[in-house]
Amino acid sequence: MKYKLVIDKNAEEEIIAIVHEPSSLTEQIENLVCSFSGTDGIMGSSDDEKRRLSFYEIECITILDRKVMAIDTNGNQYRIQQSLRDLEEILPSYFIRINKSTLANEHRIRRFDAVFSGGVDAVFQCGYKEYVSRRCFAQIRRRYK
């Protein structure tokens, strides 16, 4: 197998893979290319800092006190200027909606906990919990079947 990367700022970006037959590798490459939106992070601000948050370090993006907030791997909260609807357009495909006001990084969900009231909570690796709506949970279950 050969690999070639050409960096040319004047050329249109394209990815061409020539293979004998589809495989799990070609599927992974296709998913990676299709999920890339041209950026790999967003700007967030907290009380004392403004910084770029990589998509991989974001556990979830949710609405708290009528503000769009990103929660990172350490449990820190950052205010995001974009709306959830706008973020849904630029976030990679591994961000899934778990309720009306939360987008979750599925790679950062540690587990789903059943709640006494009959609902389900998503528990993230940083310890943050967010409820999962029944409609979204059904879609998540179908995704993993």
Side-chain angles (χ1 to χ4, degrees), residues 30-43:
E30 183 178 5
N31 289 338
L32 179 65
V33 170
C34 291
S35 69
F36 185 68
S37 63
T39 182
D40 62 349
I42 53 176
M43 290 301 293

Side-chain angles (χ1 to χ4, degrees), residues 10-44:
N10 298 322
E12 181 182 354
E13 289 185 339
E14 69 176 335
I15 295 175
I16 299 172
I18 301 171
V19 297
H20 295 286
E21 60 185 58
S23 67
S24 63
L25 176 62
T26 59
E27 185 177 322
Q28 288 175 352
I29 292 169
E30 183 178 5
N31 289 338
L32 179 65
V33 170
C34 291
S35 69
F36 185 68
S37 63
T39 182
D40 62 349
I42 53 176
M43 290 301 293

Side-chain angles (χ1 to χ4, degrees), residues 65-86:
D65 298 327
R66 297 184 179 198
K67 297 176 187 156
V68 179
M69 304 294 283
I71 299 171
D72 73 359
T73 55
N74 296 320
N76 300 322
Q77 297 179 3
Y78 295 90
R79 172 99 159 88
I80 306 297
Q81 295 301 318
Q82 296 100 320
S83 68
L84 277 181
R85 184 172 288 126
D86 293 340

Side-chain angles (χ1 to χ4, degrees), residues 83-95:
S83 68
L84 277 181
R85 184 172 288 126
D86 293 340
L87 288 169
E88 244 179 336
E89 298 295 320
I90 64 168
L91 288 171
S93 60
Y94 54 84
F95 275 86

Side-chain angles (χ1 to χ4, degrees), residues 41-46 49 51-64 67-84 87 91 95 101-105 124 126 128 130:
I42 53 176
M43 290 301 293
S45 58
S46 64
E49 70 175 322
R51 67 185 278 260
R52 188 180 155 287
L53 299 167
S54 167
F55 292 146
Y56 291 108
E57 69 179 307
I58 297 173
E59 303 261 317
C60 69
I61 299 173
T62 189
I63 306 287
L64 298 172
K67 297 176 187 156
V68 179
M69 304 294 283
I71 299 171
D72 73 359
T73 55
N74 296 320
N76 300 322
Q77 297 179 3
Y78 295 90
R79 172 99 159 88
I80 306 297
Q81 295 301 318
Q82 296 100 320
S83 68
L84 277 181
L87 288 169
L91 288 171
F95 275 86
S101 61
T102 304
L103 299 169
N105 181 342
F124 295 91
C126 71
Y128 181 76
E130 185 67 48

